[in-house]
Structures are given as structure tokens and as C-alpha cells.
Amino acid sequence: MAKIQAPVQRGQVVHVTAADLTHEGKGVAKVDGYPLFIEGMLPDEAGEVEVTKLNKGYGFAQLKKLEQASPERVDPPCPVYDECGGCQVQHLSYNGQMDMKYNQVRGVIDRIAKLPDVPVHPVLGMDEPWRYRNKAQVPVGLSGGRIVAGFYKKRSHDIIDMTECLIQHEESDAIIQRVKDVCAANGVMPYDEQRHKGVLRHVMARIGYQTGEKMAVLITRTSELPNAKEIIDGIRAAVPGITSIVQNVNPDKTNVIFGPTTKTLYGEDVIYDTIGGVKFAISARSFYQVNPVQTEVLYNKALQYAGLTGEETVIDAYCGIGTISLFLAQKAKQVYGVEIVPQAIEDARQNAELNGITNAYFEAGKAEEVIPNWYKQGIKPDVIVVDPPRKGCDEALLATILKMKPKKVVYVSCNPGTLARDLRILEDGGYRTREVQPVDMFPQTVHVEAVAVLELM
Ligand code: SAH
């Protein structure tokens, strides 16, 4: 199809009605067939917009005056919603968010996977879609002579002070505020990114939802923390019940948050949490699912799809710290997990031991290299679970799955587009997609998670 020439000019104000919502949460309105993407506009809304950017085939505009609001529009409860950008769809009702996420999955299953007859179930959402995150990490800086901690203003490195974040656990908000206050009271200078001076760069808070354990992490430029004793005592007094205070040192001029050295200043090196009866030790650096309530919903779906009876051999590709592997090991004969980050594999092994799980084997490496080796060694999985990063499964891994021919593939995905692409490849190789279940792991944001089950024909 030929790309449509822009019928509008930059700076022009036009009256439009939005018809659609992109996967980034922007409204889409067409002017003589030419699509404009408009932040903050919802389907069925009409108003005046100013054209800000023109590309071949599509452009961007800014909402100037909303004349007709969608019945799904709500007042975003967060006072810094517009400046922050961490959430993208707080102005859309939760039902509206569920519809948007459903449509996105349905759309790619139809268009990219070409599977219009495969059932996509309604999104499994949260009863209470707020305060769900167990990990907060915020940059610290100086603004107007004051120590501030919050978030980078959209498309900038200016730090906006923040007292609460409505998708974080209340305790995380409290930890960040108290650490900020205690550090300010004890003369700890916030990090100055421009001059690469100062001490405190980031504060991180982690909460065990099931255990109530709390960790504060101070990420500093210098390994010396001035007045360390006063700071530790101050945080312990201000955050009753805190179980762990950790310092991570990052001396480099970088956007990367964590540095190479971590030391425990008070209490434990880790906090514990449980998902579906499996206990996990979480260190400052560990990867761990951020929405523990919905993680359990997702894993239960994956478990149901795997249909385990206790006799099966299961491979968990892209296993992280082994959360899915250990969850499934309770119902399988043997589980093999593979993950590219060696530290995560160490965590997985420790977590297996912590739970007395002896039928889970973990190996560090690329899934697309380790699994073919397992195949050569004669390992024959009944079920392969994959949970790849956004770019989806490596082609070599998909080819190996087609060679190994497990009865079932359970595909957990954080990107519907690559899920649909990979389902098509597996379908062409002889699998049939039975159903797809989207799960809302990240309410108020545009992220969509889904799990699909395929069977060998
Ligand atoms: N299943 C885990 C984590 C999934 S996130 C959980 O539910 O918690 C995806 C994981 O894939 C990350 O841990 C990432 O480090 C890992 N990864 C990325 N590329 C990989 C590859 N080529 N081979 C194996 N693991 C990979």
C-alpha cells in the first residue's frame, strides 16, 4: 500500500475524533486516511489537536482541547501522572485497560499468528489494580538546595521529587522517604550526575508480600558512606521491622543503576518471599517478578496448561531464578532450567535447596545452545515452557523444539507481537495452539503478558 502524504502541516490545529488506541496507549485519529498518534486521547473522543511531527505515512499531535470525553475516561489518581511516564493508561478505566489489552492480544493472534479461530480468553486482571509492585528504585539528586528522590521527568534527566507512587507497596514509599530524610539529616550529599560528585545515587526498596520482610538498598558513588552508623540507626528507627539494609557501590559515570560491589550494612543479605508455596531468597541484585499476586495467577495458568501428572520431564527455557521451574517441579518428575545470567542460575540452585526440591537441574547458558546439547544427551521433555524476553524465542531454539517434539509447549510472553510470530513458526512445524490467556501483570501501564498452550498434532 502506498504511504499516504500528510494532509496536514506541522503546527496546524485540527479537529479530530480518535478511533483506536496503539499498544503504547496513544489515541489514533485519521485525517483523510492519514493517522495521527495523540498522547492522552482515547477511542471515541473528539477534540482539537496540534500537529507536532510528520513522518511518511503517519504523524504525531498534541491534545489541545478535549471536546468529547470517552465514558471510559477517568481522572488519573496520581498527581504526577503526566510528568512521570512510568504509567501510560491511568486516564483509562480499569475495564477499558482490560479491553485494550485483550484487543492487542486478539489482534496479533489474528493478524500475525493467523489464528482467528484460536480462543483468546478475557484478561485476568487484579481486584485491586494499585500498590502491586514489590520493588521500587528511584534516582536521588539535588534540586533547589534540597535532596530529592523520585523519577526522571519524561525524556529528561531532571529528577522530580515524589512522596508516593500508587503502583508501589506503601512500605516502599515509606522506605524511600525515610532513607532520603535520614541521609539528608546526616549530611549525605546526593549524587550530581553532571559533575560526577556526591554520594547517594539511587534508593531501592524491596518488600516480601507474603513475609512482610523489607529491604532498603543505598546505591552510592563512593564506597565510604559518611556517618554510616547514624544512618543505619536512623533508618532502623524510622522504618520499624526493616530486615535488611544494603549498600551497593557504583563508582562509574553511567546510567546503569548498580555497581559491582554490594555489602550488607544491617540484618540479612536477602529478603524472603513465597509464590505458590515456593520460597525465594531475594538479594539486592536478584531478578524477581515485580507483581507477586499476578505472578501466581500466571504460573497457575502455565501449570494448568502443562497438565502435569508427576511423570513428566519438563524444560523451562529462559528460567531466570527458577521461579517457574520450581513451581512446576512440585508436580513434575524432573525439571531442567536454562538461563543466560549465571548469577540467576546460582539463585535458582539455592532456591531449589531452600525448598528441598531435588528434581530440578539448572544450567547457565543460552537456551538455544544448552537445549540442543541436552537433546544430544538424550533428554526427552514431555513439556517445554518458554518465557523469553521481549524479542521472543531465538529461531534456533524454535527449530530445536520442533526436533525434540515435546507433546506440549507452554509459551509465557511479555510481548504479544513476538508471541504471535513464534506461534506461527510452531504451527508451521506441526503444533496447534489450543488457547491463549492474557494476564494483567502491570495495571496502569501498557504492558501485556500472555500464556499460550500448544500441542503436537
Ligand atoms: N521465567 C523467569 C524469567 C523470565 S524473563 C521468571 O518467570 O521469573 C526472561 C529471562 O531470559 C531473563 O532472565 C533473561 O536473562 C533470560 N535470557 C535472555 N536471553 C536468553 C537466552 N538466549 N538464553 C537463555 N536465557 C535468556
Side-chain angles (χ1 to χ4, degrees):
M1 208 167 63
K3 294 259 163 81
I4 305 161
Q5 280 298 317
V8 286
Q9 285 176 348
R10 218 176 131 227
Q12 192 179 336
V13 173
V14 281
H15 188 275
V16 297
T17 300
D20 219 339
L21 202 59
T22 68
H23 64 267
E24 294 168 314
K26 292 191 169 83
V28 190
K30 286 189 177 169
V31 181
D32 298 335
Y34 178 87
L36 286 175
F37 298 126
I38 308 141
E39 195 170 305
M41 208 170 187
L42 296 173
D44 302 323
E45 291 193 329
E48 279 186 356
V49 303
E50 183 179 329
V51 179
T52 51
K53 191 167 189 243
L54 295 171
N55 289 339
K56 257 194 204 138
Y58 64 93
F60 295 90
Q62 201 179 13
L63 183 59
K64 286 280 152 192
K65 198 165 112 202
L66 189 64
E67 286 161 357
Q68 163 119 36
S70 159
E72 296 302 330
R73 176 173 286 275
V74 293
D75 275 336
C78 171
V80 290
Y81 173 56
D82 288 333
E83 291 167 288
C84 170
C87 297
Q88 302 83 33
V89 285
Q90 277 196 19
H91 60 294
L92 179 58
S93 72
Y94 194 52
N95 273 334
Q97 294 179 24
M98 296 286 95
D99 286 347
M100 167 194 172
K101 293 181 185 192
Y102 172 82
N103 289 336
Q104 199 193 324
V105 177
R106 181 74 266 174
V108 294
I109 295 297
D110 292 353
R111 287 194 320 275
I112 300 176
K114 305 211 166 27
L115 297 169
D117 297 327
V118 167
V120 174
H121 300 296
V123 181
L124 293 172
M126 296 189 82
D127 294 336
E128 181 52 45
W130 299 99
R131 298 289 186 190
Y132 59 82
R133 281 184 64 101
N134 58 13
K135 179 179 91 169
Q137 51 194 23
V138 302
V140 180
L142 203 61
S143 174
R146 227 164 46 86
I147 179 167
V148 292
F151 57 91
Y152 293 117
K153 194 175 168 169
K154 263 188 228 171
R155 293 176 285 272
S156 87
H157 262 220
D158 302 341
I159 298 168
I160 308 281
D161 204 30
M162 176 181 70
T163 52
E164 60 172 358
C165 171
L166 302 179
I167 60 172
Q168 291 293 353
H169 196 291
E170 280 97 340
E171 285 288 347
S172 290
D173 284 344
I175 287 172
I176 289 164
Q177 291 308 310
R178 299 295 94 79
V179 169
K180 182 172 77 174
D181 294 347
V182 168
C183 284
N186 285 285
V188 175
M189 285 303 284
Y191 180 59
D192 178 340
E193 203 179 27
Q194 297 293 322
R195 293 165 44 231
H196 195 52
K197 289 258 155 49
V199 176
L200 188 60
R201 302 173 72 126
H202 274 84
V203 178
M204 179 190 192
R206 288 191 114 154
I207 312 293
Y209 269 55
Q210 294 296 324
T211 58
E213 295 182 354
K214 308 176 221 178
M215 174 186 279
V217 186
L218 282 64
I219 297 124
T220 57
R221 182 183 65 84
T222 52
S223 75
E224 200 213 325
L225 180 65
N227 302 321
K229 184 176 181 311
E230 287 75 11
I231 290 169
I232 295 163
D233 291 347
I235 295 172
R236 285 182 59 196
V239 186
I242 192 158
T243 45
S244 169
I245 304 174
V246 171
Q247 182 188 2
N248 172 272
V249 184
N250 183 357
D252 297 334
K253 216 173 158 142
T254 168
N255 283 337
V256 176
I257 296 179
F258 282 96
T261 25
T262 305
K263 46 190 168 188
T264 302
L265 301 176
Y266 164 76
E268 305 283 330
D269 302 340
V270 296
I271 57 167
Y272 293 94
D273 199 20
T274 62
I275 295 178
V278 184
K279 194 170 176 185
F280 293 95
I282 309 151
S283 72
R285 303 292 312 275
S286 295
F287 172 87
Y288 187 66
Q289 291 277 355
V290 295
N291 182 335
V293 171
Q294 290 300 86
T295 297
E296 191 160 343
V297 172
L298 181 74
Y299 289 0
N300 272 317
K301 229 343 133 184
L303 178 66
Q304 181 202 326
Y305 282 167
L308 303 179
T309 63
E311 291 305 311
E312 292 80 5
T313 298
V314 180
I315 287 181
D316 179 13
Y318 309 93
C319 72
I321 60 163
T323 21
I324 295 179
S325 320
L326 298 176
F327 192 69
L328 298 185
Q330 304 176 103
K331 299 280 163 63
K333 187 165 150 208
Q334 176 68 38
V335 177
Y336 296 87
V338 53
E339 155 65 43
I340 202 166
V341 177
Q343 180 59 47
I345 287 294
E346 264 169 51
D347 284 356
R349 288 177 184 145
Q350 271 171 21
N351 287 326
E353 208 177 302
L354 184 65
N355 290 279
I357 294 174
T358 51
N359 61 338
Y361 168 83
F362 293 101
E363 191 168 324
K366 290 184 179 170
E368 61 271 25
E369 291 172 3
V370 170
I371 295 176
N373 276 338
W374 288 346
Y375 180 56
K376 274 187 219 140
Q377 289 162 26
I379 292 167
K380 290 205 166 53
D382 301 289
V383 181
I384 295 188
V385 180
V386 297
D387 183 7
R390 290 190 60 78
K391 66 175 196 257
C393 289
D394 192 273
E395 261 181 82
L397 175 63
L398 294 172
T400 305
I401 292 176
L402 294 180
K403 256 198 258 165
M404 289 173 108
K405 296 196 193 323
K407 285 197 283 294
K408 281 188 176 181
V409 177
V410 178
Y411 196 130
V412 182
S413 161
C414 58
N415 182 348
T418 53
L419 167 68
R421 179 200 68 197
D422 293 348
L423 291 183
R424 176 48 32 220
I425 295 171
L426 292 168
E427 286 267 338
D428 290 343
Y431 281 85
R432 287 298 165 262
T433 308
R434 296 299 175 208
E435 49 187 285
V436 182
Q437 176 64 65
V439 178
D440 192 23
M441 301 283 280
F442 309 103
Q444 318 308 330
T445 80
V446 292
H447 299 290
V448 187
E449 196 96 7
V451 50
V453 58
L454 302 98
E455 283 172 0
L456 190 62
M457 260 198 306

